[in-house]
Amino acid sequence: MWNRDQCAQLFVQEIARWFLEKSIRIIFRLLEQGPMRNEGFSSQPQDALVLRQWFENLSEEDAHNVRAVVVDTAWAFFHSLCYFFDGSGSLTLQDGREILFPIQMEAYETEDDWLERRLPTWKVRVSPVEQGWLLQDAEWECVVEVVRRNRWELYLGIEPDPEALAEAPFEGQPFKVGEYYQLRREARGTCMEAHMVPHGYMARQLIASFRYETAPAVLLPAEVHYGIHKSNPLPTVESPNSDGGTLVLDCEGAALLFLNELWSEVFVQTVHEIERSLTRGPSWNPPADTTDPIARRALALHHWYTHLSEQDKRSVLALVQYTVEIGFHTLCYFLDGGIYIPYQHEGEVEFAVYLELYDQGSQSPSWSVKICPAKGDGWDLHELVGDFTSAG
């Protein structure tokens, strides 16, 4: 059994690779190539098509700066996310009770144990913790690893490392059909995602024999998958009232509360931070003659942005918004169990999110409920993303 720091290290590395890196790769591919198309699949993300058409007409310098903004946006999201899971996502109710959203790493000896939803062999709390390093302490190292692996150093503002190993991305096979959990495995490390046909939550209401893991699915480009959920969000109940009164503590109510907090504390904060940095300069306000390469790059992006036309400024901010939307969706897909992590002695490893409710002054939770992965016992988080991004 691993200790806490080992589990946290694996978590932050995985979320950097399959959320941070994946989001940047998705946006870069959209800007450079446009959305993937299939004659038998008509759904195309309109936002992505518009941004692609705009990007095609940019100068080489402007295109470079646009890519740098994408990297900045994904990095800001990653930072806010680590900070959120380190404890800033706690919520204090009017009656003094407190809510936390802890992450636990859960290990299963065999694939069958995982598929049959048996109890994990062991689990370790990743965050938040009172002792040990915070997730944000490993943030920069993970960001650098991602950009060096993809040769994105100049977009981040650091010197290339000729000794660093680069990897050619594996694109996967879009529009392939098969069983849901098998396609999720094939999507690991790509910009593809497995989408149930029909939606898993809706199918469970209508088909008595429906089984989540073996349900029919199609492998889609992530932006197409997100476009489906944005244009056709699931019908849901009203969001729970975090001020007390109507707080719902079943699995779905807890998940809605979690998404509300992610939306306001991570999504909205990231968009505002990047917009502020572009329009008014970086928030840490470095001197104009700074020698720090990251600060110099941030100042250069600010000066570049202020000299753009109003139309180009709107397009840049639209790209920031869309990048964070894609990041929000890929994050939820990750937390829903959209990947699996085979590792040495464990047959399966996954990360689970819980809601814990603490009475005033208590050191242990009075209530705990698992939010995700739902594994068919509720809706997946990424199925509900469209409710937030469409309204935002």
Side-chain angles (χ1 to χ4, degrees), residues 166-347:
E167 295 182 14
F170 173 63
E171 291 298 335
Q173 184 179 346
F175 309 107
K176 179 180 179 180
V177 297
E179 293 184 347
Y180 181 58
Y181 91 101
Q182 291 289 3
L183 290 184
R184 287 193 315 190
R185 281 159 158 62
E186 291 191 26
R188 177 174 169 81
T190 74
C191 292
M192 303 294 147
E193 294 176 352
H195 173 65
M196 288 188 191
V197 184
H199 287 317
Y201 180 79
M202 302 303 293
R204 287 192 293 274
Q205 316 307 310
L206 302 173
I207 306 171
S209 60
F210 182 86
R211 189 162 187 266
Y212 182 84
E213 290 84 358
T214 56
V218 58
L219 205 57
L220 297 177
E223 72 276 7
V224 175
H225 194 198
Y226 164 62
I228 291 173
H229 291 304
K230 184 174 182 178
S231 62
N232 186 29
L234 290 175
T236 62
V237 296
E238 292 183 4
S239 300
N241 180 4
S242 60
D243 294 328
T246 59
L247 182 64
V248 180
L249 288 180
D250 60 8
C251 180
E252 293 184 359
L256 276 171
L257 188 59
F258 174 65
L259 282 175
N260 276 319
E261 290 303 297
L262 270 182
W263 173 260
S264 61
E265 297 297 324
V266 178
F267 183 101
V268 174
Q269 291 294 336
T270 299
V271 173
H272 288 170
E273 170 62 24
I274 296 300
E275 289 184 1
R276 184 199 179 286
S277 180
L278 290 172
T279 57
R280 291 186 285 171
S283 57
W284 64 93
N285 200 24
D289 59 351
T290 178
T291 58
D292 176 40
I294 302 298
R296 292 183 60 164
R297 173 181 154 279
L299 286 171
L301 284 176
H302 162 59
H303 293 310
W304 163 77
Y305 176 83
T306 58
H307 289 88
L308 291 176
S309 68
E310 291 303 313
Q311 178 59 52
D312 282 341
K313 287 180 181 178
R314 286 193 292 270
S315 295
V316 170
L317 296 182
L319 178 62
V320 169
Q321 174 83 17
Y322 189 66
T323 300
V324 180
E325 289 181 17
I326 288 292
F328 192 40
H329 186 270
T330 60
L331 168 66
C332 289
Y333 183 79
F334 172 88
L335 295 175
D336 284 328
I339 67 168
Y340 80 111
I341 306 169
Y343 194 86
Q344 295 178 357
H345 305 298
E346 281 66 48

Side-chain angles (χ1 to χ4, degrees), residues 37 49 61 69-70 101 103 158 179 214 259 279 319 338 355 364:
R37 298 176 180 273
L49 290 171
E61 178 185 2
V69 169
V70 171
F101 299 106
I103 303 287
I158 62 176
E179 293 184 347
T214 56
L259 282 175
T279 57
L319 178 62
L355 178 149
S364 58

